[in-house]
Amino acid sequence: MTDAAGFRFPVKGEVAVFHGDRYRARAAVGLWPCVELLPDPGRPAPEGLAPREAADGSVGYPVAPERLEAWDAVTWTFRWRGELFECTAATPTTLSGDYLGSDEHFAKEHLKRLAITYYGDFPRDEVTELEMHREDLIQPLQALVRRLDEFDHFRPKAFAVHHGRTYPAADQADASGLVALTAGDDRPEELVADPRDPSGERFMAAPEQLDAWYRTYWTFRWEGGPFDAVGTVDGRIKGIYTGRSWGFVDNFQLDPEKGPDGVRTQYTITVDLDGVTDLEQHRTDLLADK
């Protein structure tokens, strides 16, 4: 199906606009948040972009989303005998679609059934109200990237407050009882530079010199199970399962990984942010026991 300019839109898929030209597109696996442009056969490659071969042998051209004028998920709908369908395939003479209506009698009389879905194939001259729909993919992606930046990718982190200023810090004191603060060019008064740090950005403080010292971490639930967040992978949140149900681990096929001690096995999951609930930040006071 094409627009007035002759661009062939997919029946269902993604379309991106780069330098004023439209291309079929997809998310670039392993290069999040990049998008891969997919020129139609015989069409020139996008100018200034290098090709990349996917695992299935197809070739795409990765581009950062901020360089795109648009990136949309496209679907088409139509009506047949007044009932609404989502288009799943198209030929020059027919359209196929999944039934979106709720008339069970109509569906059983005129359509085919696959599991819980009704579908049909229809002559084009019987189809009405053929319409394309676009879902903007750039704005939600930009919002997600901002959210990940704001929360530092949900990694556990420690901070220390010295003379009212907050610095990234170690979450444990060293053998001499001192806490390492990373200060960059902002050298904290009264603190000594860490002689083991060649960059000169780390300083050492005794706990009693600090206004506060704390650790932040995130927890969430997925499919009802509890997890400690440990970061993100390609824009998805990763967590360690903290429950005690082997049935949960086995049922959802959680990924086994060696723990920090190299011996104990921990089970992890990496999922979309939209799939988690009860995402919450916690704070542990590290000065409490000092």
Side-chain angles (χ1 to χ4, degrees), residues 80 85 99 106-113 118-120 122:
W80 181 74
F85 292 80
Y99 181 47
F106 171 89
K108 289 180 177 179
E109 183 177 358
H110 298 289
L111 306 176
K112 305 168 188 177
R113 184 169 184 172
Y118 288 97
Y119 68 98
F122 314 103

Side-chain angles (χ1 to χ4, degrees), residues 1-2 7-16 25 71-79 84-90 95-98 100 129-137:
M1 286 180 278
T2 59
F7 178 79
R8 184 171 179 81
F9 281 93
V11 169
K12 187 173 184 178
E14 299 174 15
V15 173
W71 178 30
D72 301 312
V74 172
T75 57
W76 294 77
T77 59
F78 62 84
R79 290 187 180 272
L84 187 64
F85 292 80
E86 181 180 290
C87 190
T88 56
L95 292 178
S96 303
D98 290 333
L100 300 181
E129 300 181 38
L130 179 61
E131 184 179 358
M132 183 175 66
H133 308 270
R134 301 172 186 259
E135 177 190 353
D136 181 15
L137 298 177

